[in-house]
Amino acid sequence: MKRTLFFLFVAGIISISSLHAQQLYAGMGGIKTHFQIYSDTTNLEVTDQILIKQAEKKSYLDAVYQAGYGYGYESYHLEFVTNKALIVENFKKRAGRDNEKKIKMIFIDANHKELATVTRPFSSTNSTSSSQPDNNCTFYSIDLINIPLLLLDKTATINLIALEAI
């Protein structure tokens, strides 16, 4: 009887201590990833990265008609931390064209073969930077809506390039 109580006590202590050791993202269903992340030819030297499901919302307001609409969805996000900036490629503004800032994502497999290239509005990327000059980390979260998970499964390297109209 005492042995059983002692065993249950030890098992309880071990399970409680392991719960506290769990990372926040793991408790929310996030998965640690190991992509090599570049921006053009610059290795972003990512210190931490995860894949996590998040809720997104979009809303629009038309001031002329005083009407609006919105919707929500769930999608996976690639989140990572780096102290290097994304390379920005400029393109010429053209009338009648989509001149919004974009992010180009090139997915590359372990044999250095390009699997796919996806261009998304830069608004699908959230970033937060440290305000301290001695700690210039930037935290990125990229919405991966409409990007197949099997593509991510076969990907070893992701090349990210910001595209901006001039």
Side-chain angles (χ1 to χ4, degrees), residues 84-97:
K84 296 189 177 183
L86 293 180
I87 300 298
V88 176
E89 284 184 5
N90 294 319
F91 64 92
K92 277 192 166 189
K93 278 188 179 181
R94 293 174 56 191
R97 300 287 180 155

Side-chain angles (χ1 to χ4, degrees), residues 8-138:
L8 290 174
F9 176 74
V10 170
I13 296 295
I14 290 172
S15 66
I16 289 171
S17 66
S18 69
L19 287 177
H20 290 286
Q22 188 177 32
Q23 299 266 349
L24 179 62
Y25 68 83
M28 298 178 74
I31 302 165
K32 194 159 190 65
T33 56
H34 302 286
F35 298 118
Q36 289 290 319
I37 301 179
Y38 282 79
S39 187
D40 198 16
T41 58
T42 303
N43 184 347
L44 293 180
E45 298 174 13
V46 170
T47 57
D48 205 6
Q49 57 181 291
I50 62 168
L51 189 64
I52 191 162
K53 189 181 274 191
Q54 291 184 8
E56 284 287 334
K57 67 175 175 35
K58 301 288 181 192
S59 59
Y60 302 93
L61 177 64
D62 187 329
V64 174
Y65 295 107
Q66 295 187 0
Y69 67 94
Y71 61 93
Y73 61 91
E74 238 182 14
S75 66
Y76 286 99
H77 283 237
L78 175 64
E79 296 191 356
F80 62 92
V81 182
T82 183
N83 61 0
K84 296 189 177 183
L86 293 180
I87 300 298
V88 176
E89 284 184 5
N90 294 319
F91 64 92
K92 277 192 166 189
K93 278 188 179 181
R94 293 174 56 191
R97 300 287 180 155
D98 180 8
N99 293 312
E100 295 296 316
K101 189 172 181 180
K102 297 173 183 52
I103 186 162
K104 180 166 68 170
M105 298 179 284
I106 304 167
F107 299 92
I108 302 165
D109 70 7
N111 297 322
H112 307 290
K113 292 183 183 172
E114 188 176 313
L115 298 170
T117 299
V118 178
T119 303
R120 308 278 324 275
F122 204 82
S123 61
S124 68
T125 302
N126 299 322
S127 65
T128 304
S129 297
S130 173
S131 61
Q132 302 299 318
D134 60 334
N135 182 17
N136 59 351
C137 295
T138 303

